[in-house]
Amino acid sequence: MMTIFSAWLGASIEFVHPYSFLLLPLPLLVYWFIPAYRTKKTAIKIPFFDTLMAVLGETPNQGASQLTPSWWQRVVLIISWILVITALAKPMILGKPQVREQFGRDVMVVVDLSGSMAETDFVATQDNLEKGIQAGQRISRLAAAKQVLTDFANTRQGDRLGLILFGDAAFLQTPFTADQQAWLDLLQQTDVAMAGQSTYLGDAIGLAIKVFDQTYIQDQDQDQDPSQPAREKVAIVLTDGNDTGSFVEPIEAAKVAGAKGVRIHMVAMGDPATVGEQALDMNTIKRVAALSGGQSFQALDQSELEQAYATIGELEPALYEATTYQPKQTIHHYLISAVVAIYLLAFSILTLKRVVVVKRRKRFADIQGGEQHD
């Protein structure tokens, strides 16, 4: 019966106190083992009682009147008892399973799009049929970075990823999102020099800090559970040159990041022996990482770039937790309400029946009185 009822509701039912159903046979035990209540009535005492019993051939016994319920009263009692016991068991309707996801980290990937990222001094270590790239083929630094970042993003289940691109200026390409595919699509749309030819590294770090702050305020406005630990903030900066005129020096930006709890991992691409704007300032890169609590890496080829991101993945393991739960709603009060409604209905029917009987008797008495008067 409960299975049919559950299918009708489209949800499953469980009982908090299932042992309450052991009380169901209690009325039968009372009926079998406890004597029925007898209603006493007054009797007329007569001096010739013994003679009367002898004439009738009856054996005298103690007089009493036992009330016997009608069939519909028995039905009402049985249904009411079942509903009360079921309410004591406290049935709960289980809703559809819900998945609650808790994201551990916000990871901002900062990519250099200066002109030097077009240098084809990297060798592909894997095929990319969509881009027409074969393993062993020489590719640009940006193409190598896209391949590595694609693999990196696929391992960040549960983390929210963001994307900042910089050149002559820094701009936010993707705010933090848990949709890795959308993030990858926007990454693939990037191209060399779309943000300018220069390398404004300090401004890019400053923008990353600003995005972290804005995201934290938005999370607070959305009334997230304060008991949950705050998401960890990580920035991964990929660059192949030194800073060429940011409004905020990279070292100063790193100090602010450290104060705000943003760890910055620096990944340097290319040959450190180059000169000019394309030269790698490894001293600044190492200091930025150290001041913010991160680490620095140098990648001269795609294998080293892959290793750098693999190491970052080990340093920042994905903190993801998905819990499945079913919302519960008790319905015991509906059962008690049904019992009350049944008794009110029965009481109303008996009252109406009594009124009808009284009127009929009165009408019959009036008719009898009229006939006697005639």
Side-chain angles (χ1 to χ4, degrees):
M1 179 179 178
M2 295 307 297
T3 304
I4 297 175
F5 185 62
S6 301
W8 179 68
L9 287 176
S12 57
I13 294 178
E14 70 174 20
F15 296 95
V16 178
H17 309 296
Y19 293 109
S20 299
F21 288 108
L22 296 176
L23 297 175
L24 277 176
L26 182 60
L28 294 177
L29 299 178
V30 173
Y31 180 78
W32 288 334
F33 297 106
I34 297 179
Y37 175 75
R38 297 173 182 266
T39 303
K40 295 182 179 181
K41 293 185 177 180
T42 57
I44 301 174
K45 293 182 179 181
I46 55 176
F48 49 86
F49 180 74
D50 293 336
T51 303
L52 181 61
M53 289 295 101
V55 172
L56 295 175
E58 297 287 344
T59 302
N61 53 24
Q62 186 177 2
S65 176
Q66 181 177 341
L67 298 177
T68 302
S70 60
W71 67 269
W72 67 269
Q73 289 176 320
R74 293 180 185 274
V75 172
V76 169
L77 288 173
I78 292 173
I79 294 176
S80 300
W81 180 250
I82 293 175
L83 290 175
V84 168
I85 294 302
T86 306
L88 287 176
K90 198 173 184 180
M92 308 284 288
I93 294 180
L94 302 180
K96 295 182 179 180
Q98 305 290 329
V99 178
R100 177 180 297 165
E101 296 179 329
Q102 297 180 355
F103 303 105
R105 287 190 172 89
D106 286 338
V107 181
M108 179 60 73
V109 178
V110 185
V111 179
D112 185 355
L113 291 183
S114 60
S116 56
M117 290 292 288
E119 294 289 335
T120 56
D121 52 357
F122 275 62
V123 178
T125 59
Q126 55 184 327
D127 295 332
N128 188 341
L129 300 180
E130 294 182 0
K131 298 294 183 181
I133 298 175
Q134 296 180 351
Q137 177 182 343
R138 296 185 69 84
I139 57 177
S140 67
R141 296 175 181 178
L142 181 59
K146 287 181 179 180
Q147 283 192 347
V148 175
L149 286 173
T150 298
D151 295 336
F152 177 78
N154 291 330
T155 65
R156 306 308 299 183
Q157 181 184 12
D159 286 347
R160 298 192 307 184
L161 300 180
L163 180 62
I164 289 178
L165 309 175
F166 70 98
D168 292 341
F171 64 92
L172 180 65
Q173 174 77 342
T174 310
F176 288 115
T177 176
D179 188 346
Q180 274 86 359
Q181 187 57 51
W183 186 89
L184 288 172
D185 291 342
L186 290 170
L187 172 67
Q188 296 301 327
Q189 296 175 12
T190 60
D191 201 358
V192 175
M194 64 182 297
Q197 297 289 338
S198 302
T199 306
Y200 281 33
L201 177 60
D203 291 347
I205 296 175
L207 178 59
I209 297 171
K210 181 179 179 180
V211 173
F212 277 117
D213 288 341
Q214 292 176 343
T215 302
Y216 176 79
I217 294 174
Q218 292 175 359
D219 290 344
Q220 293 297 315
D221 292 341
Q222 294 174 0
D223 295 329
Q224 292 194 349
D225 188 354
S227 63
Q228 296 294 332
R231 293 188 180 95
E232 296 191 22
K233 297 176 283 189
V234 178
I236 303 175
V237 180
L238 186 147
T239 183
D240 68 342
N242 58 15
D243 188 84
T244 55
S246 295
F247 292 100
V248 179
E249 292 292 331
I251 301 299
E252 298 301 320
K255 292 179 180 178
V256 175
K260 291 182 175 291
V262 179
R263 284 192 304 278
I264 302 176
H265 298 292
M266 300 292 297
V267 180
M269 299 180 66
D271 187 356
T274 56
V275 296
E277 292 186 358
Q278 299 182 13
L280 285 174
D281 188 352
M282 290 305 301
N283 181 49
T284 298
I285 290 174
K286 291 179 180 179
R287 287 190 62 191
V288 168
L291 288 172
S292 62
Q295 292 195 16
S296 60
F297 304 88
Q298 184 176 349
L300 299 179
D301 53 43
Q302 189 167 4
S303 297
E304 292 184 356
L305 185 62
E306 292 173 353
Q307 183 58 44
Y309 277 93
T311 303
I312 294 174
E314 295 174 357
L315 294 173
E316 307 289 351
L319 298 177
Y320 175 71
E321 180 180 358
T323 56
T324 302
Y325 69 98
Q326 288 182 280
K328 299 180 180 181
Q329 181 180 5
T330 180
I331 58 173
H332 71 280
H333 52 285
Y334 294 113
L335 302 178
I336 297 299
S337 300
V339 173
V340 174
I342 289 173
Y343 274 90
L344 288 176
L345 179 62
F347 179 78
S348 300
I349 292 175
L350 287 175
T351 302
L352 292 175
K353 183 178 179 181
R354 187 173 302 173
V355 170
V356 172
V357 170
V358 170
K359 288 183 177 180
R360 285 180 179 178
R361 288 179 179 177
K362 185 178 179 181
R363 186 180 306 160
F364 181 75
D366 292 341
I367 293 173
Q368 291 292 331
E371 291 178 354
Q372 292 177 1
H373 179 72
D374 293 339

